Amino acid sequence: MKTQAKVSILMGSDSDFDVAKSGIDTLKEFGIKVDVKVLSAHRTPIQTHEYIVNAEKEGTEVFIAFAGKAAHLAGAVAANTIRPVIGVPIKSSHLGGLEALLSTVEMPSGVPVATVAINGAKNAALLAVQMLSLKYPELDKKLKEYKENMEKTVLAKNPIMED
Ligand code: RP5
């Protein structure tokens, strides 16, 4: 099932791709058009700014930003768009991702970033689908099916015992 909904995925480094992949795959399962770019708030600030402005003009409705360490990418995206921004902190080898979580979630008042768990790519994608389902009835329907299937899978593995 295809939809006109469009999400931009940014990651601070190609080393974030392994985490981002499950989010990208989830969005594609819902038939959402995904534009994926490696852009950094620190290493390519000018190109990041240009991309965000153009993406919004070209129809991106939600941004998802993956970044680790001093993770300023989601904040930098939110500073340059009025579209919703979801931040995914990436786990690091030294500090375990807590530094990225705090860098992503502690936004100043007026510039929100909806921050999911460390490496929470799938939930970021599902949150984006939930936002888009307000506009696209086909996504609303598919989300309901997704939740029903999740419930069935859990109950099949863990049947509720009756007295
Ligand atoms: C962040 O620094 C990236 O988002 C990545 O998570 C981390 C490490 O980047 P690399 O040194 O692997 O390129 O900006």
Side-chain angles (χ1 to χ4, degrees):
M1 179 214 59
K2 277 282 168 193
T3 168
Q4 290 305 306
K6 190 174 167 195
V7 171
S8 282
I9 303 254
L10 285 79
M11 56 194 95
S13 166
D14 55 6
S15 65
D16 298 327
F17 182 76
D18 286 349
V19 173
K21 190 177 179 312
S22 71
I24 295 166
D25 290 346
T26 300
L27 289 166
K28 287 186 175 170
E29 277 168 36
F30 279 87
I32 291 173
K33 281 189 267 178
V34 186
D35 192 40
V36 182
K37 291 280 180 296
V38 175
L39 283 166
S40 163
H42 306 125
R43 291 168 174 158
T44 59
I46 296 165
Q47 293 80 1
T48 301
H49 175 265
E50 279 172 5
Y51 175 76
I52 298 160
V53 172
N54 287 330
E56 189 177 315
K57 278 189 201 148
E58 286 163 16
T60 285
E61 293 164 297
V62 180
F63 290 87
I64 302 177
F66 294 82
K69 300 186 175 173
H72 299 134
L73 183 58
V77 176
N80 287 289
T81 182
I82 56 165
R83 302 290 168 241
V85 178
I86 302 168
V88 187
I90 298 285
K91 187 172 180 178
S92 67
S93 47
H94 296 298
L95 297 172
L98 184 59
E99 79 286 31
L101 171 63
L102 297 178
S103 304
T104 305
V105 78
E106 283 290 340
M107 287 298 290
S109 177
V111 191
V113 167
T115 305
V116 296
I118 296 167
N119 283 5
K122 189 166 184 173
N123 270 1
L126 289 172
L127 183 56
V129 178
Q130 287 175 326
M131 291 170 178
L132 293 163
S133 73
L134 294 168
K135 176 175 171 188
Y136 296 96
E138 63 274 21
L139 292 179
D140 187 68
K141 183 170 175 280
K142 214 164 176 204
L143 262 177
K144 284 174 184 145
E145 288 164 7
Y146 176 90
K147 294 278 182 180
E148 280 163 17
N149 285 338
M150 183 168 63
E151 185 184 78
K152 276 186 203 148
T153 307
V154 172
L155 291 174
K157 273 201 232 163
N158 311 283
I160 296 168
M161 303 301 285
E162 294 191 8
D163 295 332

